[in-house]
Amino acid sequence: MTPEELATLTLLRRARDMIDRDYALPLDVPTIAAKVFMSPAHFSRKFRAAYGETPYNYLMTRRIERAAALLRAGTSVTDACMMVGATSLGSFSSRFTEIMGENPSSYRAREHSAIEAMPPCFVRFATRPARTGPGAGPGPGPSKPSRNEEVQAHAAH
């Protein structure tokens, strides 16, 4: 790997860390790209090549992941939406449903006792959002159970 490629990866890691840390702030791709001294288009291409998804999708996945934790703790859907930096309840609900496989109200109302009994490192894995909607996979085929359905099935055994 060339020194230039290493420098680019360092900047991309810095951008990913910023998204992880500042997910609730009003972030967009041009703002993040400027922080790592790249044009938005170049940054998006490099980020996707390094991490397998666009910076915007990564940001939204992190927001949904944090919102799911808030919903499990009993926070209202509207409050969770605003606390993670989403500006539209409708868009948030659509994205939550796409990523988590169920709408936020259903997710909040569901029993989460199996997750409460797990060590935190397993909770992070078990509740990590996995895209289940359009663009989730390579093409049509049998539908894959959502991560939440997998955790519930595993907890039932």
Side-chain angles (χ1 to χ4, degrees):
M1 188 170 274
T2 68
E4 184 178 295
E5 291 170 329
L6 284 174
T8 298
L9 283 177
T10 300
L11 292 172
L12 292 173
R13 259 187 246 115
R14 191 174 296 157
R16 190 182 63 184
D17 290 345
M18 184 177 80
I19 293 169
D20 288 340
R21 181 184 60 247
D22 298 335
Y23 65 90
L25 297 177
L27 292 176
D28 59 12
V29 173
T31 301
I32 301 166
K35 296 283 187 183
V36 294
F37 314 108
M38 293 183 193
S39 73
H42 181 71
F43 170 68
S44 290
R45 281 191 304 275
K46 291 294 186 179
F47 192 97
R48 184 175 187 138
Y51 299 114
E53 63 183 322
T54 66
Y56 179 77
N57 281 343
Y58 184 82
L59 170 63
M60 291 308 296
T61 301
R62 294 294 72 79
R63 286 179 172 170
I64 297 303
E65 180 178 52
R66 273 42 174 232
L70 292 167
L71 293 171
R72 285 193 305 275
T75 305
S76 74
V77 174
T78 302
D79 288 344
C81 169
M82 296 302 145
M83 291 170 75
V84 299
T87 56
S88 162
L89 186 58
S91 297
F92 168 78
S93 294
S94 295
R95 184 58 67 106
F96 189 98
T97 303
E98 173 190 329
I99 293 173
M100 297 298 285
E102 64 183 312
N103 68 52
S105 298
S106 297
Y107 184 85
R108 181 179 183 267
R110 188 165 44 81
E111 179 63 38
H112 296 286
S113 60
I115 292 171
E116 292 168 8
M118 293 180 190
C121 57
F122 287 113
V123 171
R124 281 191 298 278
F125 172 76
T127 61
R128 170 101 343 134
R131 294 188 178 280
T132 58
S143 65
K144 179 182 168 205
S146 72
R147 174 87 62 170
N148 294 325
E149 292 167 337
E150 291 173 1
V151 169
Q152 287 176 342
H154 182 69
H157 293 301

